[in-house]
Amino acid sequence: MDEVDSEALADVAYGIFEHLLTRTLQEKGKYLYALVEGGLDFTADLNETFQKFGDEYPQLAEALKGRFESVDKIYALLSAGEGVLPSKTTQMYWIVQDAPGSAPEAIEDEHAGKWLIFQEPDAADDAWKKVRDATVSLSLGISAKVSTAKPNPDSRDNRRVIYVYTRDWADEADVMRVREHLKSLGFVDRIGYKRNLETFAGEYAQKGKRVTYYSA
């Protein structure tokens, strides 16, 4: 296996591992960001997850070990903000926070859509915390995610973008309820709402072409 393939495999391995860690923690009523920001020890949870990961995906576990050498190094990375703050996240293109009770796949439904909030990199961490916390408290929609410091070849903008998802783009009352709460969090500039229908069709903003379904 050449170096490029090894790096690609490690990227896939880390993505699956972090998803498994998030799921394992949430099954116990915990959140990674709360553990990290609260200075709480989650070594046992991390070791448990890595053991499970190794049992289910032995080849991917080896790829992770090849990149990080030890679970302790993964712990140190997470404790420093990987997967918690956009500015500290370099292993993943996105940080995702689902609302409690919302299935992760809900954001891929064709009926879903999202408000798009663009932020300069130095303002993204604070903005993300507001959106993340409101999502967990069920004050916003079904999920939210934010782009990170990992260079993304598909990015069209140097700014960070936060997506705030709602379950059904046709439920205008709910879509606008979420928008009003975002305003209460300080996001008062006009922003656009894009349906998954346009995203799945590969339609993006171009001169003279409107791809936002709502604007408020």
Side-chain angles (χ1 to χ4, degrees), residues 134-145:
T135 299
V136 171
S137 70
L138 300 176
S139 300
L140 291 175
I142 57 175
S143 186
K145 70 179 186 179

Side-chain angles (χ1 to χ4, degrees), residues 7 11-12 67 82 86-94 147-153 155 160:
E7 285 302 301
D11 282 342
V12 171
R67 173 172 289 184
E82 176 70 36
S87 67
K88 302 293 185 181
T89 299
T90 59
Q91 301 297 313
M92 301 283 288
Y93 293 124
W94 299 92
S147 59
T148 71
K150 182 175 182 178
N152 190 336
S155 176
R160 305 286 181 253

Side-chain angles (χ1 to χ4, degrees), residues 85-87 118-128 149 158-160:
L85 296 174
S87 67
F118 290 91
Q119 296 281 298
E120 295 299 329
D122 60 358
D125 286 357
D126 287 341
W128 170 242
N158 291 327
R159 295 172 295 173
R160 305 286 181 253

Side-chain angles (χ1 to χ4, degrees), residues 77-123:
L77 192 70
L78 293 168
S79 297
E82 176 70 36
V84 175
L85 296 174
S87 67
K88 302 293 185 181
T89 299
T90 59
Q91 301 297 313
M92 301 283 288
Y93 293 124
W94 299 92
I95 300 172
V96 180
Q97 181 60 63
D98 295 321
S102 180
E105 61 269 19
I107 66 173
E108 301 299 333
D109 191 282
E110 66 177 9
H111 296 290
K114 63 268 187 182
W115 288 106
L116 282 68
I117 305 171
F118 290 91
Q119 296 281 298
E120 295 299 329
D122 60 358

Side-chain angles (χ1 to χ4, degrees), residues 124-190:
D125 286 357
D126 287 341
W128 170 242
K129 285 182 180 181
K130 291 178 182 179
V131 170
R132 175 199 71 195
D133 292 351
T135 299
V136 171
S137 70
L138 300 176
S139 300
L140 291 175
I142 57 175
S143 186
K145 70 179 186 179
V146 61
S147 59
T148 71
K150 182 175 182 178
N152 190 336
D154 295 329
S155 176
R156 296 168 175 266
D157 199 307
N158 291 327
R159 295 172 295 173
R160 305 286 181 253
V161 60
I162 299 173
Y163 291 167
V164 181
Y165 288 87
T166 73
R167 189 176 304 279
D168 185 358
W169 59 264
D171 187 348
E172 186 173 356
D174 183 57
V175 171
M176 290 305 169
R177 175 195 64 79
V178 171
R179 178 64 187 110
E180 288 305 307
H181 194 77
L182 287 171
K183 287 180 180 179
S184 76
L185 295 176
F187 303 106
V188 296
D189 291 343
R190 182 171 290 274

Side-chain angles (χ1 to χ4, degrees), residues 187-206:
F187 303 106
V188 296
D189 291 343
R190 182 171 290 274
I191 59 175
Y193 180 97
K194 188 177 181 182
R195 304 183 300 177
N196 276 358
L197 293 173
E198 280 76 35
T199 300
F200 294 162
E203 296 180 11
Y204 298 93
Q206 299 174 8

